[in-house]
Amino acid sequence: MGTRLLDSVIIAISIVGLLSSTTESLRFDLQSGQTKCIAEDIQSNAMTVGKYSVVNPNEGQPLPTTHSLTVRVTSSYGNSYHYAEHVPSGQFAFTAAEAGDYMTCFWAADHKPQVTLTVDFDWKTGVAAKDWTNVAKKGSIDVMELELKKLHDTVISIQEEMYSLREREEQMQELNRATNSRMGWFSFLSLIVCLSVAGLQVWHLKTFFEKKKLI
């Protein structure tokens, strides 16, 4: 019975975790002298952790001096959360103070002849960014309690996400109402202008025909 309950908890966490947290792990090539940026939508007060490293093209030998990166992480408001210059690897971790798109940009110094860097980048946000191993060690809790704590934090994350989506929906509805109101006034003014122009044209034609004694 206990095993079935634990399996159910793990399955629920796996399903819900996919909806509430983001794990982005990728490998990409970067030419020297070029920049590559990766964006992630992060909610306010959500934790995020990132690790990056340049892949050694010659395994077993020292990494060439040309294989280094300059990395910067900024929010959509332009605030800087991480900066490292000419490093082969690094990591960052912070709690987002503002909601929106966060940008991680990688820049490779220009070299002649041009070289290609292969970069491994792992970016986790939300529940996925938490170090559950240390939580279990520090709290001295068993497997069941750890899974329940994960589930609790996942549910809280989903709830915050729903509140954020609801707030965005209300903002969009307010924008739609304001746009509809402005379009209504614009249509009304356009109708008034058209009627005024038509009236002036009729008056002008009538005056012209009277002067020519055609009517």
Side-chain angles (χ1 to χ4, degrees), residues 2-192:
T3 303
R4 290 183 179 179
L5 178 59
L6 179 58
D7 291 341
S8 300
V9 170
I10 294 175
I11 292 173
I13 291 174
S14 300
I15 296 174
V16 178
L18 290 174
L19 301 174
S20 64
S21 58
T22 302
T23 302
E24 187 171 4
S25 181
L26 67 158
R27 172 176 287 192
F28 58 89
D29 291 335
L30 181 63
Q31 299 291 330
S32 58
Q34 296 184 359
T35 301
K36 182 178 180 63
C37 294
I38 300 171
E40 182 70 31
D41 185 19
I42 304 177
Q43 299 301 318
S44 178
N45 297 322
M47 185 176 182
T48 183
V49 174
K51 295 181 181 180
Y52 54 88
S53 61
V54 178
V55 178
N56 194 336
N58 304 311
E59 189 175 353
Q61 299 182 13
L63 188 70
T65 56
T66 56
H67 285 54
S68 62
L69 297 167
T70 296
V71 184
R72 182 185 295 274
V73 182
T74 57
S75 68
S76 56
Y77 295 92
N79 297 323
S80 179
Y81 284 82
H82 173 75
Y83 179 75
E85 190 173 10
H86 304 306
V87 294
S89 63
Q91 60 183 4
F92 57 85
F94 59 88
T95 299
E98 52 206 3
D101 286 334
Y102 284 72
M103 193 82 68
T104 301
C105 291
F106 300 87
W107 178 75
D110 195 12
H111 291 283
K112 300 296 182 182
Q114 193 177 53
V115 296
T116 300
L117 283 66
T118 300
V119 182
D120 280 334
F121 182 42
D122 184 38
W123 197 356
K124 299 178 180 179
T125 62
V127 177
K130 291 190 176 182
D131 189 350
W132 293 105
T133 302
N134 289 334
V135 171
K137 291 179 180 178
K138 293 178 181 179
S140 300
I141 54 181
D142 58 22
V143 177
M144 176 66 73
E145 291 174 329
L146 178 60
E147 298 301 335
L148 290 175
K149 180 170 178 59
K150 287 183 181 179
L151 181 60
H152 175 266
D153 285 359
T154 301
V155 171
I156 295 299
S157 178
I158 291 178
Q159 186 180 31
E160 292 176 350
E161 179 73 17
M162 291 177 63
Y163 287 150
S164 176
L165 292 175
R166 185 178 301 174
E167 183 179 352
R168 291 183 183 181
E169 182 182 2
E170 291 177 354
Q171 291 175 352
M172 290 300 298
Q173 289 178 351
E174 183 64 28
L175 178 61
N176 288 336
R177 285 193 291 267
T179 302
N180 291 335
S181 177
R182 291 173 182 173
M183 289 300 298
W185 278 107
F186 178 77
S187 299
F188 177 73
L189 291 176
S190 298
L191 179 61
I192 295 298

